[in-house]
Amino acid sequence: SALGVERALDIATASPRIASIGLGEADLRSDLGVADDAGLTWARSRVIVAARAARLAPPAMSAYANVRDLDGLAASCRAGRALGFRGRTAIHPVQLETIRTAFLPTREEVSRAREVISRVAGATAAGVGAIALPDGTFLDVAMVEQARTVLSLVD
């Protein structure tokens, strides 16, 4: 519900036994009167921020209701992944491969993550404090942590 979204951080921090939080998107669509994913973007982001602020695992997206629309499912998963979701629930086995593919890192992401880790290790060994990738991107601790997260998804 709208109230649940407003209280997402309170819910996320209500007990140390909470592992993560998520949205009941069909219920929220009804409560808000929205018909498509665009109307859920802010609420999705709010739940992701609340989960991470509470130091919980990144949430999984709610199920995609149309089991025959795998292209729509893939697009929705890509949008959710871009917001910070790390997976999605499924309501039918036919959806599983589409979800898996959408949330696993791409070859390019894995390659870049490996390059980040390698460059940081090399710079550390050489005693260099500031390093950049060949494309000019300077690396910091947050980028290294993100690279480690990408690699953990493929290991």
Side-chain angles (χ1 to χ4, degrees):
S1 69
L3 182 58
V5 172
E6 287 296 315
R7 294 189 176 160
L9 184 60
D10 294 336
I11 294 167
T13 58
S15 167
R17 295 174 48 190
I18 294 174
S20 195
I21 58 175
L23 277 176
E25 291 186 0
D27 297 327
L28 185 59
R29 281 178 201 272
S30 176
D31 191 27
L32 298 178
V34 300
D36 61 22
D37 280 4
L40 297 178
T41 302
W42 183 86
R44 286 173 169 172
S45 296
R46 177 69 184 107
V47 167
I48 293 163
V49 170
R52 300 307 294 145
R55 298 184 184 259
L56 301 177
M61 293 182 80
S62 184
Y64 190 82
N66 188 335
V67 298
R68 292 186 180 159
D69 182 13
L70 296 181
D71 290 337
L73 171 62
S76 180
C77 287
R78 283 191 301 273
R81 184 175 182 237
L83 291 175
F85 285 104
R86 290 292 181 249
R88 183 170 213 148
T89 60
I91 58 172
H92 193 280
V94 72
Q95 296 177 317
L96 294 175
E97 187 57 31
T98 301
I99 293 168
R100 181 182 170 279
T101 299
F103 283 97
L104 280 177
T106 64
R107 287 183 184 145
E108 294 80 17
E109 290 168 327
V110 172
S111 177
R112 184 170 177 94
R114 287 187 175 135
E115 181 179 15
V116 166
I117 298 297
S118 174
R119 293 251 179 192
V120 168
T124 300
V128 175
I131 56 172
L133 296 176
D135 69 3
T137 303
F138 273 86
L139 301 178
D140 63 15
V141 172
M143 292 173 177
V144 173
E145 287 305 313
Q146 184 165 357
R148 287 184 178 133
T149 298
V150 167
L151 294 178
S152 74
L153 293 172
V154 295
D155 290 341

